[in-house]
Amino acid sequence: LALPPGAPALEVGCGVGRLADALASEFGLRLTATDISPTAIARRAAAADPASFITWAVADATALPFPPGAFSLVIDKGTCDALDCDDAGDGGTAVRAALSEAARVLSPGGALVLASCRDPAARAGLVGPLFTTAAGVEVWGGEPGRPRPPCPEAYVYTLVLK
């Protein structure tokens, strides 16, 4: 996935992690990092490098406050997994809403990078109507030199808006 420096990107569910900092500094993205928790956003904003190109915002992944087509890239590192817990067997309503919102805020040809502990087959019905798989699905299982995932295997999907 090649994006030009300064490309607008969105991280949903950033929590207090440092992924936003790495993405902004390593790839030169103009990043908006969101989380539903005002506490998480306040902590990250207070600790952020003021020279970075990161905007911090409280936002619900199922109802994003951004205009259609605002981002070239959306990153979700576990937010859909957390929403699975809220869905409680109702067929993925919250996950479907989050994926629909990601699709809505992506520009034409934009991509969603989704890191999940759920097998791709479990997500196919929710992802398929909105996205195509760009480069297959990477499986991380704690290989040497890679971060250890929070589950036995983590799947990293690169999905392109249909």
Side-chain angles (χ1 to χ4, degrees), residues 38-68:
T39 302
I41 292 298
R43 284 182 57 195
R44 287 301 299 121
D49 177 354
S52 72
F53 295 103
I54 303 173
T55 301
W56 303 93
V58 175
D60 181 342
T62 66
L64 295 169
F66 306 107

Side-chain angles (χ1 to χ4, degrees), residues 2-115:
L3 294 172
L10 172 68
E11 181 187 3
V12 295
C14 67
V16 294
R18 302 254 180 224
L19 180 61
D21 303 280
L23 290 169
S25 65
E26 188 170 332
F27 299 105
L29 300 174
R30 194 177 75 240
L31 192 78
T32 301
T34 65
D35 198 276
I36 199 165
S37 167
T39 302
I41 292 298
R43 284 182 57 195
R44 287 301 299 121
D49 177 354
S52 72
F53 295 103
I54 303 173
T55 301
W56 303 93
V58 175
D60 181 342
T62 66
L64 295 169
F66 306 107
F71 301 98
S72 300
L73 175 66
V74 173
I75 303 109
D76 172 349
K77 184 180 63 72
T79 300
C80 281
D81 289 350
L83 291 172
D84 273 337
C85 297
D86 286 345
D87 282 339
D90 73 355
T93 302
V95 174
R96 185 175 289 108
L99 291 171
S100 293
E101 280 295 280
R104 184 184 66 77
V105 301
L106 277 169
S107 58
L112 167 65
V113 175
L114 175 66

